Amino acid sequence: MSDDLFLKIIDREVPADIVRENDRVLAIRDINPQAPTHVLVIPKTRYRDAGELAAADPALLAELIGTAREIAEAEGIAESGYRMLFNTGADAGQTIFHVHLHLLGGEQLGALAGG
């Protein structure tokens, strides 16, 4: 058994609230949401972080972003706005070292530096 939580979810060893799935991507609701809509979009192939994914499979990176856009539309937040976020490395807050995109929206989100 893997120690990668997302691989355990993909393999259905750990339950999750699945929002969308295809052969390359799984999207689940975050168990500790930071906004009314907080979905994690995860590639089924493990890459440590967004940089590693971008170097190895740019098409899969684009698929994560496209999937997030589709979910934003389905969740009714596409028009009002949403945030897509990758945490890369411990200093950025990454705690699971299997790349995943955070889709956040459904309320006014705080500004980021450089906005």
Side-chain angles (χ1 to χ4, degrees):
M1 184 187 309
S2 170
D3 63 352
D4 180 328
L5 176 61
F6 292 148
L7 289 179
K8 289 178 182 179
I9 291 170
I10 291 164
D11 291 340
R12 305 305 197 265
E13 296 171 14
V14 172
D17 183 359
I18 297 172
V19 174
R20 186 164 298 214
E21 181 174 20
N22 65 31
D23 60 333
R24 291 173 32 105
V25 174
L26 179 72
I28 62 173
R29 296 208 184 274
D30 194 295
I31 61 170
N32 185 26
Q34 304 300 305
T37 296
H38 189 169
V39 175
L40 306 177
V41 185
I42 309 159
K44 290 184 175 181
T45 301
R46 184 183 181 277
Y47 295 96
R48 182 173 174 81
D49 57 41
E52 185 177 291
L53 172 59
D57 192 343
L60 181 55
L61 177 59
E63 187 171 347
L64 293 184
I65 292 169
T67 299
R69 179 192 52 80
E70 292 169 1
I71 294 167
E73 290 174 356
E75 296 278 319
I77 62 171
E79 290 299 317
S80 61
Y82 55 94
R83 181 172 291 157
M84 292 185 282
L85 173 73
F86 289 99
N87 293 319
T88 300
D91 282 354
Q94 185 177 10
T95 58
I96 299 174
F97 292 90
H98 179 139
V99 65
H100 52 288
L101 180 154
H102 292 260
L103 169 66
L104 301 128
E107 67 183 9
Q108 181 71 41
L109 301 173
L112 293 175

